[in-house]
Amino acid sequence: MTRFEPHFQHRQSAHCESGVMASLLSHAGLPMSEPMAFGLASGLAFAYLPIVKLSGMPLIAYRMPPKHLIKTLSKRLGARLHSRTFGNPEQGRRELDALLDSGRLAGLQSSVFWLPYFPPEMRFHFNAHNLLAYGRDGDEYLISDPVFEEPVRCASADLQKARFAKGALAAKGLMYWLDEVPLEQDWDQLIRQSVLSTTRILDGMPLPWIGIRGIQHLAKQIEQLDPAQAKYNRLYLTHIVRMQEEIGTGGAGFRFMYASFLQEAGELIGAAPLQQASAQLTAIGDDWRQFASACVRASRNKGEAPDFRPIAEMLRGIAGQERVLMKELGAWAKRKG
Amino acid sequence: MKLDEVPQDHSSTYGGHSKLVYAVDASGHYQRAQSDGWEPEAYATQLAVAELQEQEAAAEAAWQRGELSPLKCLMYRYRLDEPALAQITGLWQWRIRRHFRPAIYRNLSAAILARYADAFGLPVAQLIAYQKAPA
């Protein structure tokens, strides 16, 4: 049985949203690793969105959009999720203070740019960063920011600015907390359901930009780069790497995180096929890292015009492997017993 | 990725911090590990930052020559582009581009400048001071 932890325990995570959810659930008495939170919420994905521009480049995501994890995970576990946004920033501050003063943890969505504890080179205008507030001390908030090694402090004026930053994905002061987390779960059913859902996201969407078709689409875009546009190509290829590494947890992180989930889930319910799938996905994650290295190598090369075809082929290879894996996982999830 | 392959390239872009990653040990078991940077990632980040700095420097030079208002330079300095600045300030992009013209900028009202000040996190007084003449 689990016991209630009166004191909050900070834990560093690879990704903000899965980290916040893992911490909230563990604090509520349901011990949960970050990969478990990520996997049970079916967080793994791929999306190439040419319409959403980031400094003139398409958005490339390796996971589901912000808030997906929070909502899906609470629903699947049957936990009650409260979430609020505010039209009036002052009210947002009062409600946060009231929640903290009642001894609860508050998940907050905020802008990275306005958080002073971030190193300057990591500060960009990304409004969907998740963090946990677990207390107040004078004019400062005690913050458990999942991507940092240690808890941090943030002056109330700075946090206010970060919570109410405007622009794309504006948080509007979003604050959320969990209660009534059921500690008994049907893990077998839960794992099958979430794995099946991931296979459908990655390989079952009739859209050319999502999932494995999205990876193939990106391969085509790379192949079609005009060798004469050297500067644009350099920025484009490194943009892909930044979306994968910097925003995406580092080292093809979401693939490894999901592989870790498959392993843990396989042990939990004694399913050997999941262990095997985990090893396959680890190999695919390594290929994603090779792909990132190849993109950077081509960007560095200032001499002759680089050949983009081998890079595109690497990506097609990855897409093929992910498709095989999703087919196997889908078959496992639908099999009874 | 194996534990001994977790990159430790001391990237300056991490500002002395470490990232958490998941990697397998010799028996294929997943473990938590810390990485203090990966060189290809650092290269990608630095290139993006250098591009912004280049744009900022070009806009600053044009401002000093009197060809642009300081607005464009400030936009890049605070890591924004036209679509992002438009979203944050709630102004149309064509209006922002108009405000890049020095003559137009000098006549902007304090209310409009306040929107920019809010986006950059600067005091309005500073933006008003820029209306006088190139520094």
Side-chain angles (χ1 to χ4, degrees), chain A residues 11-14 34-35 55-56 113-114 117 119-123 125 147-149 161 166-168 231 234-235 238 241-242 245-246 249-250 256-257 259-260 263 267 278 282 286 289 292-293 296 299-300, chain B residues 1-2 5-7 12-24 28-30 32 34 38-41 43-49 51 54 77-81 84 87-88 117-121:
Chain A
R11 196 166 41 160
Q12 192 183 11
S13 315
E34 183 193 11
S55 12
F113 188 81
W114 298 107
Y117 56 83
E121 275 169 309
M122 285 160 80
R123 285 174 67 179
H125 293 272
V147 301
F148 284 85
E149 300 99 310
K161 184 105 184 147
K166 292 181 201 135
K231 185 177 177 185
R234 262 209 299 286
L235 287 172
T238 51
V241 176
R242 288 181 69 211
E245 299 297 322
E246 191 178 292
T249 80
F256 294 131
M257 202 196 291
S260 175
Q263 187 174 69
E267 279 166 15
S278 167
T282 304
D286 286 331
R289 278 169 58 79
S293 292
V296 167
S299 312
R300 270 215 177 95
Chain B
M1 184 167 58
K2 298 204 173 62
E5 293 166 354
V6 173
S12 64
T13 50
Y14 283 16
H17 291 277
S18 287
K19 245 185 201 179
L20 186 86
V21 296
Y22 295 90
V24 292
H29 229 95
Y30 264 96
R32 296 154 59 84
Q34 281 181 322
W38 189 36
E39 209 278 329
E41 179 191 348
Y43 175 82
T45 307
Q46 280 156 3
L47 196 69
V49 171
E51 171 70 11
E54 217 172 278
R77 183 174 300 167
Y78 293 97
R79 300 202 174 172
L80 292 162
D81 54 12
Q87 261 188 321
I88 293 177
D118 191 48
F120 302 141

Side-chain angles (χ1 to χ4, degrees), chain A residues 16-17 20 66-67 70 85 96 106-118 124-133 143-146 148 152 154 156-166 168-176:
Chain A
C16 62
E17 201 171 329
V20 164
K67 298 198 203 107
I70 300 168
T85 54
L96 172 62
L108 300 173
Q109 188 186 324
S110 49
S111 156
V112 170
F113 188 81
W114 298 107
L115 292 172
Y117 56 83
F118 264 83
F124 50 97
H125 293 272
F126 175 63
N127 282 332
H129 181 61
N130 284 275
L131 48 87
L132 268 179
I143 304 283
S144 165
D145 191 311
F148 284 85
V152 289
C154 185
S156 95
D158 291 324
L159 186 65
Q160 192 70 358
K161 184 105 184 147
R163 289 179 69 202
F164 291 93
K166 292 181 201 135
L169 299 172
K172 299 191 184 78
L174 176 69
M175 160 176 124
Y176 51 92

